[in-house]
Structures are given as C-alpha cells and as structure tokens.
Amino acid sequence: MSALVPTGSHPVTLFDSSPTYQMACRQLDEVAKAINLDPGIAQRLMVPKRSQVVAVPIRLDSGQVRTFIGYRVQHSLTSGASKGGLRYAPSVDLGEVAALAMWMGWKCGIMKLPFSGAKGGIACDPSLLSIGEKERLTRRFTEEVLNIIGPRIDVMAPDMGTDEQTMAWIYDTYSMKVGYACPEIVTGKPVELGGCVGRKEATGRGVVYCIREALEELRLRAVESTAVVQGFGNVGSVTCEELYQLGVKVIAIGDRYSAIRNPHGIDIPALVKYTSDPKNPLKSLKGFPGADEIAPDELLGIPCTILVPAALERVITGENARKLNCRILAEGANGPTTPDADAILADSDIYVIPDILCNAGGVTVSYFEWVQDLQQFMWSEEQVNAQLKKLMLGAFHRVRDRAKERGMTNRLSALSLGVEKVATEKAKRGLYP
Ligand code: NAD
C-alpha cells in the first residue's frame, strides 16, 4: 500500500502494487505535509482521473497474431488538455504509467503550461519488432484509445522507445478517423508534418540550460568539468552533444547494452555517428573504438562533476546513493531517484536538479508545437530556442528561490510548485456538481 495523505485515507487502487506509483505517492505525501495541502484535494491528486487499459492485437511479420497490453493514464483534466509521452518498453505497466502521468502534471505546473499530466505505454520490446510491426502496433493502439484522446483532450508525444515516426503514425491514424489532417493530435512529429523545429533536441537542451545555471551558482567552469551520462537515446545523446559543445568532458556513458569510459573525454560527434550507423540498428555503444568498455554497474559511481541519468526510473536508490561521486545530479530521466536515495542526497553536498524541472524542455517545446499547429503559424528555430531558454530559466530560478527561502531541497521545492499550481486550479474550479 502506498503512502497516505496526511488526513483521510488513500483509496485502494489498481496502481498500489507498483513501486514507481508508490514513489510518486510518497513524494506527493511529503509535499502535502510541507505546504499544508487541503486533504480532499491531496486525495484527488493522488488518484489518476482516467485510466484505460487496452489489448492491442497485431499480426507479426511471421503471420502469427500477438496481443500486447497498452495503457493511457490521464492524471487530471483540470489544467487543460492532458499531455504526456508514449513509452514502448518491456517494463511498462499501469502503475508506472500512472506515476509518470502524475509527474507530467507537476512538470506542466512548474513550467506554467496550460496542460494536465498524462502518460501512455505499451509493454513490448521495440528492439525485437520490425518497422512494420511497430507501425501496426501504434496504429491499433491509437484506434483503441481513440475515445479518450483529442487535441483538446489528450495529446501524446515521444518517450522511451518511441520517436517522430511513431507520432507520424498516430497523426495519420487519428486524421483518417476524423476525416481531416489534424497535426495537433500529437507533438514531437517530423517537422515536415507540422512538427516544431528544435523539439527533438529540446529535452537535452533544457537539461543543459539547467546544468549551466547550477555550474554558475557553484562557481564551476564548464571547461574544467566532467560528465557521466546514463542513456544515449534522445535525451542522453543531445545532452552529451550540448555538454561537448560547452567544453565539458563526457568521460563515461552507459546504455541498455553496455557502458564505455574514456577519462580524456569521449568524442561525442564520433559516437553519434557510430550509433546512427544503419549497421548499428540498436544504436548500441558496444564496440565504439574511442573508449573502453566498463561494467555497467560502475557507471553511476564514477567521479565526475555532473551525473546525468537519462534512461530509466529508480536507478539511484537507498543502496547506491552513497556511492555517487558527483557535484551535480541532473535528472534527464523521469523518476531516476527514489525517496530513500533522496534522503541520503539531502545530507550530501550533491546539487540535485530534479527531473520535473531538468527534463521539462521536452514538454515545453511540445507546448510550442501544439500552439503552432492550432494556429497554423510556425515559428523559427531561433524563436523556439529563445522561448525555451526563457521558460526553463524562469522555472529554474523559481525552484531555487523557493528552496532557499523555505530551506527545502530542490526536489521538494520543484514538486511543491508543481502540485500547488494544480491544487490551486482544482480549488478555484470547485467540485462538480
Ligand atoms: P530513448 O528510448 O530515446 O533512449 C533510452 C536510452 O536508455 C537508450 O540509450 C537505451 O539504451 C537506454 N537504456 C534502456 N535501458 C537501460 C538500462 N537498463 N540501463 C542503461 N540504459 C538503458 O528514450 P528517451 O526519450 O531518451 O527517454 C529517456 C528518459 O528521459 C526516460 O525516463 C523518459 O521518460 C525521459 N524523458 C524523455 C523526454 C523526451 O522528450 N524524449 C522528455 C522528458 C523526459
């Protein structure tokens, strides 16, 4: 059973057995205590508004039929259309998706975006599916959740295991159903289809805007800093590229298949080329000639200035948090640090840039994309990047200011800002009927 709100009981839900959902509830519980949240509203915020579980049968290339399980969870519908990624990974389950939807709600809150939080996923291993199988899976999933999505209802975007192409298939399937081209049904789609320039890079760029502010506050110089990054997908690779451009030496990187290290700094453009080679369809780091292979469990403890988890949730735990050897922990992934680890980090000198702030660049540019598609008026990359920077820095300083004023950790400050925005909207709208 997950943590309880301060007064009143937490209703028993289908999500309770998930450690990721328990983690999200524990965080909300801490925020509720810290800001003295109305218990009735705290309870409403703890339980997702709407969840849909769907069977997604597809014909595999072999001719066999296989059924996958898909999920879409809308944490709330209070703050505008719900917004959040679609994840393809073997670990996806209802509780994980519910937790990610809740975090999306807080993230949109900190960034002051007119969205509620949502998330979706299909339990599958996309590396084992052909392109045709992925297309059939995506189109059938879209059909199955059609009753709860829409440009003013719920808008999907890429997440782990999905990309621009996945969004293009959702856009096409939805448009075929409604009978007109409707690019505003998804964000993170190809630019040629109404995608926003700079959306693909936005999350990694936002991570690095935050890192720059933290380095400045700590009076550290980028060119004298080192970084270790877990994950070399969308978020991890762009973060590495941006850090490399700043002169930060990226000395180790890990992915699902291996981890590599070069104390002199990894040649990031060469690694991007290596992982984008069609002969490397898994985009694996394995065998990259410019670095040595290391045991993946060594990665997070390597001494460095900046550690960036940019892959999975719950990788920094009560067991390994004391082994971290970094000055800044910049959370590119969602939920990489458990509350037990947080308690340990709060007593250390590690400067945490919490996930819901650090990786908010993605949803911020998704918001720009949605606005452009609704207005059918597209922005230049300069406009997108300037607005992204402005919104990220604004949120960064709101989080830091509250943390300093109230003596809170950055995580509690960020979460409380996000929760407060949604809670205020709920309170002002009142309870129907
Ligand atoms: P991605 O699928 O593009 O890349 C995931 C990376 O993680 C890959 O390099 C993969 O090999 C690696 N990985 C998978 N399992 C691993 C394991 N067991 N150990 C180490 N590495 C492993 O996904 P992404 O879009 O870059 O998302 C990464 C994280 O960032 C997720 O937590 C996601 O929710 C979060 N996020 C993504 C966005 C976005 O815009 N894509 C926005 C905000 C947050």
Short mmCIF file of all heavy atoms in Angstrom, two decimals, residues 87 100 107 119 158-162 199-200 203 230-236 254-257 282-283 310-313 332-334 359-360 362-363, ligand 1:
data_model
loop_
_atom_site.label_atom_id
_atom_site.label_comp_id
_atom_site.label_asym_id
_atom_site.label_seq_id
_atom_site.Cartn_x
_atom_site.Cartn_y
_atom_site.Cartn_z
N ARG A 87 5.33 5.44 -24.19
CA ARG A 87 6.57 4.67 -23.97
C ARG A 87 6.41 3.23 -24.44
O ARG A 87 5.39 2.61 -24.13
CB ARG A 87 6.87 4.71 -22.47
CG ARG A 87 7.98 3.83 -22.03
CD ARG A 87 8.23 3.97 -20.55
NE ARG A 87 8.86 5.24 -20.23
CZ ARG A 87 9.48 5.49 -19.07
NH1 ARG A 87 9.53 4.57 -18.13
NH2 ARG A 87 10.04 6.65 -18.85
N LEU A 100 4.14 8.22 -13.98
CA LEU A 100 4.68 9.14 -14.98
C LEU A 100 3.66 10.22 -15.34
O LEU A 100 4.02 11.38 -15.59
CB LEU A 100 5.13 8.35 -16.22
CG LEU A 100 6.40 7.49 -16.01
CD1 LEU A 100 6.51 6.40 -17.08
CD2 LEU A 100 7.67 8.35 -16.02
N LYS A 107 5.15 18.68 -13.67
CA LYS A 107 6.09 19.33 -14.60
C LYS A 107 5.40 20.47 -15.35
O LYS A 107 5.94 21.57 -15.46
CB LYS A 107 6.58 18.26 -15.59
CG LYS A 107 7.82 18.61 -16.34
CD LYS A 107 8.19 17.50 -17.33
CE LYS A 107 8.53 16.19 -16.67
NZ LYS A 107 8.93 15.16 -17.64
N LYS A 119 0.22 10.05 -19.46
CA LYS A 119 1.30 9.19 -19.97
C LYS A 119 0.67 7.95 -20.56
O LYS A 119 -0.44 7.57 -20.18
CB LYS A 119 2.25 8.80 -18.84
CG LYS A 119 3.63 8.42 -19.30
CD LYS A 119 4.45 9.64 -19.60
CE LYS A 119 5.85 9.30 -20.05
NZ LYS A 119 6.69 10.50 -20.07
N PRO A 158 6.63 11.66 -28.02
CA PRO A 158 7.54 10.51 -27.89
C PRO A 158 8.10 10.38 -26.48
O PRO A 158 8.21 11.36 -25.74
CB PRO A 158 8.69 10.83 -28.86
CG PRO A 158 8.27 12.01 -29.65
CD PRO A 158 7.20 12.71 -28.89
N ASP A 159 8.45 9.19 -26.09
CA ASP A 159 9.16 8.90 -24.84
C ASP A 159 10.06 7.70 -25.15
O ASP A 159 10.35 7.43 -26.32
CB ASP A 159 8.14 8.62 -23.72
CG ASP A 159 8.80 8.58 -22.34
OD1 ASP A 159 9.13 9.65 -21.82
OD2 ASP A 159 9.00 7.49 -21.79
N MET A 160 10.47 7.00 -24.11
CA MET A 160 11.39 5.88 -24.31
C MET A 160 10.83 4.89 -25.33
O MET A 160 9.67 4.47 -25.21
CB MET A 160 11.60 5.18 -22.97
CG MET A 160 12.99 4.73 -22.77
SD MET A 160 13.26 4.54 -21.03
CE MET A 160 12.89 2.86 -20.85
N GLY A 161 11.63 4.54 -26.32
CA GLY A 161 11.24 3.51 -27.28
C GLY A 161 10.32 4.00 -28.39
O GLY A 161 9.93 3.22 -29.26
N THR A 162 9.94 5.28 -28.38
CA THR A 162 9.12 5.83 -29.47
C THR A 162 9.82 7.07 -30.03
O THR A 162 10.72 7.63 -29.39
CB THR A 162 7.71 6.23 -28.98
OG1 THR A 162 7.84 7.19 -27.93
CG2 THR A 162 6.93 5.03 -28.47
N ARG A 199 12.25 20.49 -31.47
CA ARG A 199 11.55 19.65 -30.48
C ARG A 199 12.39 18.43 -30.10
O ARG A 199 12.49 18.07 -28.93
CB ARG A 199 10.18 19.20 -31.01
CG ARG A 199 9.50 18.08 -30.17
CD ARG A 199 9.25 18.51 -28.73
NE ARG A 199 8.72 17.45 -27.87
CZ ARG A 199 9.43 16.63 -27.13
NH1 ARG A 199 10.76 16.67 -27.16
NH2 ARG A 199 8.87 15.73 -26.37
N LYS A 200 13.03 17.81 -31.14
CA LYS A 200 13.80 16.59 -30.89
C LYS A 200 14.93 16.86 -29.89
O LYS A 200 15.27 16.04 -29.06
CB LYS A 200 14.37 16.09 -32.23
CG LYS A 200 14.67 14.62 -32.24
CD LYS A 200 14.81 14.06 -33.64
CE LYS A 200 16.04 14.59 -34.34
NZ LYS A 200 16.20 14.11 -35.70
N THR A 203 14.58 18.43 -24.98
CA THR A 203 14.75 17.91 -23.63
C THR A 203 16.23 18.01 -23.23
O THR A 203 16.56 18.54 -22.15
CB THR A 203 14.23 16.46 -23.52
OG1 THR A 203 12.90 16.43 -24.04
CG2 THR A 203 14.23 15.99 -22.08
N GLN A 230 23.97 8.33 -18.22
CA GLN A 230 23.34 7.01 -18.40
C GLN A 230 22.21 7.16 -19.41
O GLN A 230 21.25 7.90 -19.17
CB GLN A 230 22.77 6.49 -17.08
CG GLN A 230 22.16 5.11 -17.22
CD GLN A 230 21.46 4.63 -15.96
OE1 GLN A 230 20.61 5.31 -15.41
NE2 GLN A 230 21.83 3.46 -15.50
N GLY A 231 22.33 6.45 -20.54
CA GLY A 231 21.34 6.56 -21.61
C GLY A 231 21.93 7.37 -22.75
O GLY A 231 22.50 8.45 -22.53
N PHE A 232 21.81 6.85 -23.97
CA PHE A 232 22.30 7.59 -25.14
C PHE A 232 21.20 7.55 -26.21
O PHE A 232 21.46 7.37 -27.38
CB PHE A 232 23.62 7.01 -25.64
CG PHE A 232 24.42 7.98 -26.48
CD1 PHE A 232 25.02 9.09 -25.90
CD2 PHE A 232 24.58 7.78 -27.84
CE1 PHE A 232 25.74 10.00 -26.67
CE2 PHE A 232 25.31 8.68 -28.62
CZ PHE A 232 25.89 9.79 -28.03
N GLY A 233 19.96 7.73 -25.75
CA GLY A 233 18.83 7.84 -26.69
C GLY A 233 18.61 9.31 -26.96
O GLY A 233 19.56 10.11 -26.98
N ASN A 234 17.36 9.70 -27.13
CA ASN A 234 17.06 11.10 -27.44
C ASN A 234 17.66 12.03 -26.38
O ASN A 234 18.45 12.92 -26.70
CB ASN A 234 15.54 11.28 -27.58
CG ASN A 234 15.16 12.73 -27.78
OD1 ASN A 234 15.46 13.58 -26.95
ND2 ASN A 234 14.52 13.03 -28.88
N VAL A 235 17.29 11.84 -25.13
CA VAL A 235 17.70 12.79 -24.09
C VAL A 235 19.21 12.70 -23.83
O VAL A 235 19.91 13.72 -23.80
CB VAL A 235 16.92 12.53 -22.77
CG1 VAL A 235 17.32 13.53 -21.70
CG2 VAL A 235 15.41 12.59 -23.03
N GLY A 236 19.72 11.49 -23.66
CA GLY A 236 21.14 11.31 -23.33
C GLY A 236 22.06 11.82 -24.43
O GLY A 236 23.05 12.51 -24.15
N GLY A 254 26.54 5.10 -20.51
CA GLY A 254 26.00 3.74 -20.49
C GLY A 254 24.71 3.68 -21.27
O GLY A 254 24.01 4.68 -21.40
N ASP A 255 24.39 2.49 -21.80
CA ASP A 255 23.07 2.28 -22.38
C ASP A 255 22.57 0.91 -21.98
O ASP A 255 23.13 0.27 -21.09
CB ASP A 255 23.06 2.51 -23.90
CG ASP A 255 23.80 1.43 -24.68
OD1 ASP A 255 24.32 0.48 -24.06
OD2 ASP A 255 23.85 1.54 -25.92
N ARG A 256 21.53 0.44 -22.64
CA ARG A 256 20.92 -0.83 -22.27
C ARG A 256 21.89 -2.01 -22.49
O ARG A 256 21.77 -3.04 -21.87
CB ARG A 256 19.67 -1.00 -23.16
CG ARG A 256 18.91 -2.23 -22.89
CD ARG A 256 17.69 -2.26 -23.81
NE ARG A 256 17.09 -3.58 -23.73
CZ ARG A 256 16.03 -3.96 -24.42
NH1 ARG A 256 15.45 -3.12 -25.26
NH2 ARG A 256 15.54 -5.17 -24.31
N TYR A 257 22.84 -1.82 -23.40
CA TYR A 257 23.67 -2.95 -23.80
C TYR A 257 25.07 -2.95 -23.18
O TYR A 257 25.69 -3.98 -23.03
CB TYR A 257 23.80 -2.98 -25.34
CG TYR A 257 22.45 -2.93 -26.00
CD1 TYR A 257 21.94 -1.74 -26.52
CD2 TYR A 257 21.65 -4.07 -26.02
CE1 TYR A 257 20.67 -1.69 -27.07
CE2 TYR A 257 20.38 -4.02 -26.59
CZ TYR A 257 19.89 -2.83 -27.10
OH TYR A 257 18.63 -2.79 -27.64
N LEU A 282 20.51 -1.14 -33.26
CA LEU A 282 20.11 -0.99 -31.86
C LEU A 282 20.66 0.32 -31.27
O LEU A 282 20.42 0.63 -30.11
CB LEU A 282 20.61 -2.18 -31.03
CG LEU A 282 20.02 -3.55 -31.38
CD1 LEU A 282 20.66 -4.65 -30.54
CD2 LEU A 282 18.51 -3.54 -31.19
N LYS A 283 21.46 1.05 -32.06
CA LYS A 283 22.09 2.30 -31.62
C LYS A 283 22.93 2.05 -30.36
O LYS A 283 23.00 2.89 -29.46
CB LYS A 283 21.05 3.39 -31.34
CG LYS A 283 20.20 3.73 -32.55
CD LYS A 283 19.24 4.85 -32.27
CE LYS A 283 18.47 5.29 -33.50
NZ LYS A 283 19.25 5.81 -34.60
N ALA A 310 19.76 9.42 -17.75
CA ALA A 310 18.86 9.78 -18.86
C ALA A 310 18.30 8.51 -19.50
O ALA A 310 18.23 8.40 -20.72
CB ALA A 310 19.59 10.65 -19.89
N ALA A 311 17.95 7.54 -18.63
CA ALA A 311 17.39 6.30 -19.17
C ALA A 311 16.15 5.90 -18.38
O ALA A 311 15.05 6.30 -18.73
CB ALA A 311 18.44 5.20 -19.16
N LEU A 312 16.35 5.18 -17.28
CA LEU A 312 15.22 4.56 -16.58
C LEU A 312 14.90 5.26 -15.27
O LEU A 312 15.71 6.04 -14.75
CB LEU A 312 15.61 3.12 -16.20
CG LEU A 312 16.13 2.23 -17.31
CD1 LEU A 312 16.68 0.96 -16.70
CD2 LEU A 312 15.01 1.93 -18.28
N GLU A 313 13.75 4.86 -14.67
CA GLU A 313 13.46 5.37 -13.32
C GLU A 313 14.08 4.44 -12.27
O GLU A 313 14.44 3.31 -12.56
CB GLU A 313 11.95 5.53 -13.07
CG GLU A 313 11.10 4.33 -13.34
CD GLU A 313 10.58 4.29 -14.75
OE1 GLU A 313 10.92 5.19 -15.56
OE2 GLU A 313 9.86 3.34 -15.08
N GLY A 332 17.87 13.80 -16.22
CA GLY A 332 17.26 13.82 -17.56
C GLY A 332 16.10 12.85 -17.64
O GLY A 332 15.09 13.12 -18.27
N ALA A 333 16.23 11.70 -16.98
CA ALA A 333 15.15 10.69 -16.97
C ALA A 333 14.05 11.13 -16.02
O ALA A 333 14.25 12.00 -15.18
CB ALA A 333 15.70 9.34 -16.54
N ASN A 334 12.89 10.49 -16.12
CA ASN A 334 11.82 10.70 -15.16
C ASN A 334 11.99 9.72 -14.01
O ASN A 334 12.18 8.52 -14.23
CB ASN A 334 10.47 10.44 -15.84
CG ASN A 334 10.06 11.59 -16.73
OD1 ASN A 334 10.05 12.75 -16.30
ND2 ASN A 334 9.75 11.30 -17.98
N ASN A 359 14.11 17.91 -17.01
CA ASN A 359 13.78 17.41 -18.35
C ASN A 359 12.50 18.07 -18.92
O ASN A 359 11.92 17.56 -19.88
CB ASN A 359 13.68 15.88 -18.35
CG ASN A 359 12.51 15.34 -17.55
OD1 ASN A 359 11.44 15.94 -17.51
ND2 ASN A 359 12.70 14.19 -16.92
N ALA A 360 12.12 19.21 -18.36
CA ALA A 360 10.87 19.86 -18.79
C ALA A 360 10.97 20.55 -20.15
O ALA A 360 9.96 21.03 -20.68
CB ALA A 360 10.41 20.87 -17.73
N GLY A 362 11.32 19.21 -22.98
CA GLY A 362 10.57 18.44 -23.98
C GLY A 362 9.12 18.88 -24.03
O GLY A 362 8.60 19.24 -25.09
N VAL A 363 8.47 18.90 -22.87
CA VAL A 363 7.04 19.26 -22.88
C VAL A 363 6.86 20.75 -23.20
O VAL A 363 5.86 21.15 -23.78
CB VAL A 363 6.33 18.85 -21.57
CG1 VAL A 363 6.75 19.67 -20.39
CG2 VAL A 363 4.80 18.96 -21.75
P1 NAD B 1 15.18 6.65 -25.75
O1 NAD B 1 14.38 5.41 -26.00
O2 NAD B 1 15.47 7.55 -26.88
O3 NAD B 1 16.58 6.26 -25.06
C1 NAD B 1 16.64 5.47 -23.91
C2 NAD B 1 18.11 5.18 -23.61
O4 NAD B 1 18.18 4.46 -22.38
C3 NAD B 1 18.76 4.28 -24.66
O5 NAD B 1 20.11 4.68 -24.86
C4 NAD B 1 18.73 2.91 -24.00
O6 NAD B 1 19.75 2.02 -24.47
C5 NAD B 1 18.96 3.31 -22.55
N1 NAD B 1 18.57 2.25 -21.62
C6 NAD B 1 17.48 1.45 -21.67
N2 NAD B 1 17.53 0.55 -20.69
C7 NAD B 1 18.67 0.79 -19.99
C8 NAD B 1 19.28 0.19 -18.88
N3 NAD B 1 18.73 -0.87 -18.28
N4 NAD B 1 20.46 0.71 -18.43
C9 NAD B 1 21.03 1.76 -19.04
N5 NAD B 1 20.49 2.38 -20.11
C10 NAD B 1 19.33 1.89 -20.58
O7 NAD B 1 14.40 7.41 -24.57
P2 NAD B 1 14.45 8.97 -24.22
O8 NAD B 1 13.34 9.63 -24.95
O9 NAD B 1 15.84 9.48 -24.34
O10 NAD B 1 13.99 8.93 -22.68
C11 NAD B 1 14.93 8.66 -21.64
C12 NAD B 1 14.34 9.15 -20.33
O11 NAD B 1 14.04 10.55 -20.43
C13 NAD B 1 13.03 8.49 -19.91
O12 NAD B 1 12.96 8.45 -18.50
C14 NAD B 1 11.99 9.46 -20.41
O13 NAD B 1 10.76 9.34 -19.72
C15 NAD B 1 12.68 10.77 -20.11
N6 NAD B 1 12.18 11.92 -20.88
C16 NAD B 1 12.18 11.92 -22.23
C17 NAD B 1 11.73 13.06 -22.91
C18 NAD B 1 11.77 13.14 -24.41
O14 NAD B 1 11.48 14.23 -24.93
N7 NAD B 1 12.12 12.10 -25.15
C19 NAD B 1 11.26 14.17 -22.20
C20 NAD B 1 11.29 14.14 -20.81
C21 NAD B 1 11.78 13.02 -20.16
#
